[in-house]
Amino acid sequence: MIKEIKGGICAVDGVKAFGIKEGKKGLAIITAKGNAAGVHTKNKVIAAPNIVTKEKLETNGGFLEAVIVNSGNANAFTGEDGLKDANGMADALAGKLGIDTKFVAVASTGVIGRKLHIDIIKEQMCTVLPNLSSSEKANEETMKAIMTTDLVPKGFAVEAETALGTFRVGGITKGSGMIEPNMGTMLAFIYTDAEVKSEILKSALNDAVRKTFNMIVVDGDTSTNDMCLLTATGKSDVVINSYEKPDVCAEFQNALETVMKELAKMIAKDGEGATKLIECTVTGAYTEDDAIAAAKAIVRSPLVKTAIYGNDPNWGRIVAAAGYSGAEFDQTGISLIVADGCNQVSLVDKGKITKNDEATLSNLKTIMSAETIYIEMNLGTGGKETATAWGCDLTYDYVKINADYTT
Amino acid sequence: MIKEIKGGICAVDGVKAFGIKEGKKGLAIITAKGNAAGVHTKNKVIAAPNIVTKEKLETNGGFLEAVIVNSGNANAFTGEDGLKDANGMADALAGKLGIDTKFVAVASTGVIGRKLHIDIIKEQMCTVLPNLSSSEKANEETMKAIMTTDLVPKGFAVEAETALGTFRVGGITKGSGMIEPNMGTMLAFIYTDAEVKSEILKSALNDAVRKTFNMIVVDGDTSTNDMCLLTATGKSDVVINSYEKPDVCAEFQNALETVMKELAKMIAKDGEGATKLIECTVTGAYTEDDAIAAAKAIVRSPLVKTAIYGNDPNWGRIVAAAGYSGAEFDQTGISLIVADGCNQVSLVDKGKITKNDEATLSNLKTIMSAETIYIEMNLGTGGKETATAWGCDLTYDYVKINADYTT
């Protein structure tokens, strides 16, 4: 059984954090000792901090003691200097904390192709370090420090009761534009006080990323800096050292996915300029890949996104997006329902348009004006696979924010 | 040698056309007897007129006498009724013209998922038929009749001089949103008075579509109704019956691609809400597919498109888009130049940032304020393949148009 708790990552035993934001430049530091796993962007332009952190986790036995994160400069496409700066950030923190730099991860988010001002980061570090704590306020400040165009700080935590005792999972994340993660969202830091063996941690994270962060689309741009780190402090009584206790493994996976799904939805809802969250569930697919492709095509489609922004009952665009997604698809068998959580309207039932009269379209307009819009599409192939993707509407403000980001 | 001429499709001997537009509903009729080839949408939701036209060309020996096109209703996702209506349109025209319906193609564009009002189409047909002519005005009215959210009618024609005599190629097209054609754009009708054997016509059209219409992106949505038809009336002295005269074949291919490239650029420039045309040329790719993937990713990226709208010199987004495109890519070898046709600025040279100072960024801002922005990116792999894609900026007006299309 899992329940939501307050405090984000600081609710997890063994985690201390703090951060500051000065203008566009922020710095966050998180300390937590334990087995760790990470996933990184699949963009072929890989930011320096991602290269550095990935390499550390591959060579240090999958263990972390601290993470240092700056916002405002992505340290991406910055060549040798960028690598030096990313290592410099980690080394500086390791020096201050008196730990081995190989256990310090580094992450960055912001503008691409600009040299990092490491002096500013070192100054900010001196302000942040004395404030490291496990308070709720510390979690708040950490979430704020890593934001860029985000409007809302994003964190979530749960407590799970198992046969072995209780454990917690907490995470924070940031991300608002350049969002179609292909491995982790822009930045996400997840912690648990369960003790989890390295291989199990890695595979749990990969599975969860596939179903959560990799299922959100804001604009279809994959960032150069996507990174998601999971650290297990082992401070609780729950020890997951093998798959021999499948119940506890499943409970851990469930708690992890719950936290990451909430964080993923927060990112989609806070997509640049967004006014609405779109949750699209595709069923009746032959393969999970087909279900994923169709669900993501629908939440990625600029035409679907603008229609949802304007409450325009132009549902044919949803069908068209599934049609070009590459998923196996039988247009004589598909079904389409749009809902707002309370009411729903059936638009297509097994290939036939349910009703396209004024009353139906007016009903659809009302449903589309809700804060969360649920789209349910059956691909009509008779297959059993499903997937859910999250996105947001496309608005004037997305254009405004991105026409004027660096200047 | 080829030169631009006036008159669009009506400049081609053997072509007569006319059209009307009443509110959102338009009808165009084109008559031209000859070998014909077509390419259609790869969306798995295929509109009824596309199914009907495709089947006719597959079974009638690749020959057309007339095309009937309505705008305002896509006749897509309309089931058995839709097929009946599409055939009904063709049958009605065939009856009026006294020709076999198997030689009449049908095309539609507009809202998806609405039953066609075939009565309105039949009424409009009676107005259009008596006006069929080969005048410049007839071409104008035909271009206007097939428009939906297009702001500008789109046509282009050339005359080519060859050893066998002169021939002409003319085309008209429409398309503004739901544009990432995967075989032909929304609708394009191309005519030539050369006499061209069926197989040569087909292969010429496929090659040209790949390099022109398939290289434009407005919003990344592939329509259900994309169709491009090419008819050769054979009224000129130029006969292309085999590949034995490679010079004439090449001249024909060149004339065809010239017309289709101009039409493709017109669509990109008239993309919904667009204020600028983006032409992106990718070089240094291992394979043509890599070059295509990178060029299209750049012109598809909402972040690149909004930056260009706002003259925001955030060039890192161009590098990031190439990075996630899937193309082979060496970030230590890439080069990036942005130009406006007169001036250019080098941003990255063989993996090194050229200069990121105020003067460079200010220069880039000036270049970005031009009407056409040229992006040249070398992928740095040492490969020799290239591709060019066209797109437009993403603006408030794209959102406005699409938040309020059917309502």
Side-chain angles (χ1 to χ4, degrees), chain B residues 34-37 56-64 103 198 201-202:
Chain B
N35 287 338
K56 289 189 185 199
L57 280 172
E58 279 164 9
T59 54
N60 73 5
F63 196 89
L64 286 180
F103 300 124
S198 224
L201 206 62
K202 265 188 218 169

Side-chain angles (χ1 to χ4, degrees), chain A residues 224-281:
Chain A
T224 49
N225 286 57
D226 289 344
M227 185 189 299
C228 176
L229 297 178
L230 167 62
T231 306
T233 66
K235 297 274 184 182
S236 75
D237 296 330
V238 177
V239 179
I240 305 174
N241 268 333
S242 75
Y243 290 107
E244 277 167 28
K245 298 209 174 68
D247 284 1
V248 181
C249 281
E251 278 168 301
F252 177 67
Q253 190 70 36
N254 184 28
L256 184 65
E257 284 179 15
T258 301
V259 169
M260 286 170 65
K261 192 163 98 177
E262 288 304 318
L263 294 175
K265 283 162 74 173
M266 286 177 194
I267 290 175
K269 193 166 184 173
D270 190 27
E272 284 175 344
T275 67
K276 298 174 188 176
L277 175 67
I278 308 170
E279 178 170 312
C280 176
T281 299

Side-chain angles (χ1 to χ4, degrees), chain A residues 113 221 301 312 323-324 356 406, chain B residues 44 113 221 301 312 323-324 356 406:
Chain A
D221 276 87
S301 160
D312 179 357
Y324 68 68
N356 229 350
T406 59
Chain B
K44 283 183 183 136
D221 276 271
S301 159
D312 179 357
Y324 68 67
N356 229 351
T406 61

Side-chain angles (χ1 to χ4, degrees), chain B residues 287-302:
Chain B
T287 66
E288 193 188 17
D289 281 351
D290 276 357
I292 290 171
K296 286 181 83 168
I298 291 168
V299 298
R300 189 190 298 114
S301 159

Side-chain angles (χ1 to χ4, degrees), chain B residues 67-212:
Chain B
V67 182
I68 177 166
V69 193
N70 74 288
S71 60
N73 185 322
N75 194 9
F77 200 68
T78 44
E80 287 300 319
D81 276 3
L83 291 171
K84 206 185 294 172
D85 288 339
N87 276 310
M89 279 171 69
D91 294 350
L93 181 62
K96 293 277 182 188
L97 293 174
I99 58 178
D100 190 330
T101 191
K102 75 179 174 188
F103 300 124
V104 179
V106 54
S108 301
T109 176
V111 182
I112 298 167
R114 303 282 166 87
K115 178 152 172 42
L116 205 66
H117 291 287
I118 195 152
D119 291 346
I120 298 176
I121 289 172
K122 284 182 179 169
E123 276 170 37
Q124 288 183 321
M125 195 186 300
C126 295
T127 317
V128 172
L129 278 174
N131 290 297
L132 285 180
S133 95
S134 55
S135 69
E136 219 177 300
K137 184 174 182 315
N139 179 64
E140 281 291 327
E141 298 304 320
T142 308
M143 290 192 295
K144 283 183 197 162
I146 62 173
M147 287 162 62
T148 54
T149 51
D150 306 63
L151 295 179
V152 184
K154 301 175 187 72
F156 197 80
V158 297
E159 186 172 85
E161 274 186 43
T162 74
L164 301 178
T166 65
F167 71 92
R168 292 175 166 195
V169 180
I172 61 171
T173 190
K174 66 82 51 185
S176 188
M178 205 179 259
I179 298 284
E180 175 160 351
N182 196 351
M183 280 289 122
T185 181
M186 286 277 290
L187 298 179
F189 305 101
I190 324 279
Y191 292 87
T192 177
D193 52 12
E195 189 181 321
V196 189
K197 211 180 162 186
S198 224
E199 299 95 271
I200 299 178
L201 206 62
K202 265 188 218 169
S203 117
L205 181 63
N206 283 332
D207 279 1
V209 161
R210 194 168 52 85
K211 291 186 194 165
T212 59

Side-chain angles (χ1 to χ4, degrees), chain A residues 69-140:
Chain A
V69 193
N70 75 289
S71 60
N73 185 323
N75 195 7
F77 199 68
T78 43
E80 287 300 319
D81 277 1
L83 291 171
K84 205 185 293 172
D85 288 339
N87 276 310
M89 279 171 70
D91 295 350
L93 181 61
K96 293 276 181 192
L97 293 174
I99 58 179
D100 190 331
T101 191
K102 74 179 176 188
F103 300 124
V104 178
V106 53
S108 301
T109 175
V111 182
I112 298 167
R114 301 282 166 88
K115 177 154 174 40
L116 205 65
H117 291 287
I118 196 152
D119 291 345
I120 299 176
I121 290 173
K122 284 184 180 169
E123 275 170 38
Q124 288 182 321
M125 195 185 298
C126 295
T127 317
V128 172
L129 277 172
N131 290 297
L132 286 180
S133 96
S134 57
S135 69
E136 219 177 301
K137 183 173 182 316
N139 180 63
E140 282 290 328

Side-chain angles (χ1 to χ4, degrees), chain A residues 43-46 77 111-114 178 219-222 224 272 301-303 306-307 309-310 312-317 319-320 323-324 326-329 331 334 348 351 353 356 361 365 394-396 398-400 402-407, chain B residues 43-46 77 111-114 178 219-222 224 272 301-303 306-307 309-310 312-317 319-320 323-324 326-329 331 334 348 351 353 356 361 365 394-396 398-400 402-407:
Chain A
N43 196 311
K44 285 186 180 132
V45 179
I46 302 172
F77 199 68
V111 182
I112 298 167
R114 301 282 166 88
M178 205 178 260
D219 47 19
D221 276 87
T222 302
T224 49
E272 284 175 344
S301 160
L303 290 172
T306 43
Y309 171 54
D312 179 357
N314 201 345
W315 58 262
R317 294 176 178 175
V319 177
Y324 68 68
E328 274 304 315
F329 184 94
Q331 70 171 303
I334 65 163
V348 182
I353 296 176
N356 229 350
L361 294 181
K365 267 180 88 80
L394 173 59
T395 70
Y396 297 118
Y398 177 85
V399 177
K400 187 172 162 54
N402 286 301
D404 192 33
Y405 177 51
T406 59
T407 48
Chain B
N43 195 311
K44 283 183 183 136
V45 179
I46 302 172
F77 200 68
V111 182
I112 298 167
R114 303 282 166 87
M178 205 179 259
D219 47 20
D221 276 271
T222 302
T224 49
E272 283 173 345
S301 159
L303 290 172
T306 43
Y309 171 54
D312 179 357
N314 202 342
W315 58 262
R317 293 176 178 177
V319 176
Y324 68 67
E328 274 306 315
F329 183 94
Q331 68 171 306
I334 65 164
V348 183
I353 296 176
N356 229 351
L361 295 180
K365 268 180 89 80
L394 173 59
T395 70
Y396 298 117
Y398 177 86
V399 177
K400 186 170 162 55
N402 286 302
D404 191 34
Y405 177 50
T406 61
T407 47

